[in-house]
Amino acid sequence: MTKTTATAHTNIALIKYWGKKDAQLNLPTTSSLSLTLDEFYTTTTVENSNIDQLIINGQMADPTRVHHFLDALRAELGDFSPLLISSQNYVPTAAGLASSASAFAALTAATTRHLGLDLPLTTLSRLARRGSGSATRSLFGGFALWQAGTNDQTSYANALPTPNIPISLLVVEISGLQKKISSSEGMLRAMTSPNYEQWVHDANWQITAMQAALQASDLTRVGQLAEDNALAMHALNLSAKDRRFTYFTPQTIQVLDLVKKLRQACLIAYATLDAGPNVKIITHSDQAAYIQAQLHQELPKLRVTIAHPGPGVSYEQ
Ligand code: 2P0
């Protein structure tokens, strides 16, 4: 029985996706821009089976979400045999890193290759979106830009070529607990914030400004824009009219304070945060080890991983 295996790395958005104009198709309200990371990835193998089945890290898992996704693929690509999907996640489970990004990117690549299709990365990106919005960006190495588009055909990511930027991301793990509010639910609530229109307006110019900062290899500007964007996203959660909430914990605030102190000491250090309490610190590669040591000294219990730009999707025969 033939098996097909693909690996995709996770990505961190520097300009975030936080709101859908179509929840069925995962069409976002704004474009987003990300960096794929070397340290965290998913490897997925598919083979024909009697029923669609999902195994994650050696354990049977609830296949409901994957079922929906495979249905969307079947509607688009034509019917295909049920699949046994075995996925190995090298992403701290639910640690605020979007394992769904690497997981759906790897699954899209493995499934289409298994069907004998050799599709352009932008088509894979468009298909992966149906599984998880952030998966659109995990097909690509380095920086990726997900154009919001206006419909199913026009909403997908592209690689964003940049000069060779000495960027590192420190991933500070505050909690490995499963998040209480899923990204989809968080976005729905955030869109009820009176500040949501302003968020969309700002994201539109921040996307352009971020591309200019990357082309200029201006890490300070990259960091400022990313931190402003991330904190505005979390402010939407706090100001939602309908069931306001936060992903922050007291330790999140402690790390944010430390990031500010590092900046006062003339280091490049800017924070970005996703749908969880963990903080990712954007810095210059030359400063990453020093910042890791400072974090260890001030907050010795927290695990800190230094990540760098990672590769795009790859296959094993
Ligand atoms: C992002 N996040 O741009 C944003 C920032 C988290 C915070 O994309 O509902 O798992 O599956 O499309 O992609 C995480 O949300 O959401 C995410 P769905 P997804 O990375």
Side-chain angles (χ1 to χ4, degrees), residues 180-192:
K180 285 200 199 84
I181 297 165
S182 71
S183 297
S184 296
E185 170 66 20
M187 289 185 212
L188 269 180
R189 295 190 193 186
M191 288 179 76
T192 69

Side-chain angles (χ1 to χ4, degrees), residues 166-168 219 267 283-291:
I167 189 171
S168 290
L219 263 181
L267 291 156
T283 188
H284 190 289
S285 300
D286 288 348
Q287 298 179 6
Y290 178 79
I291 292 176

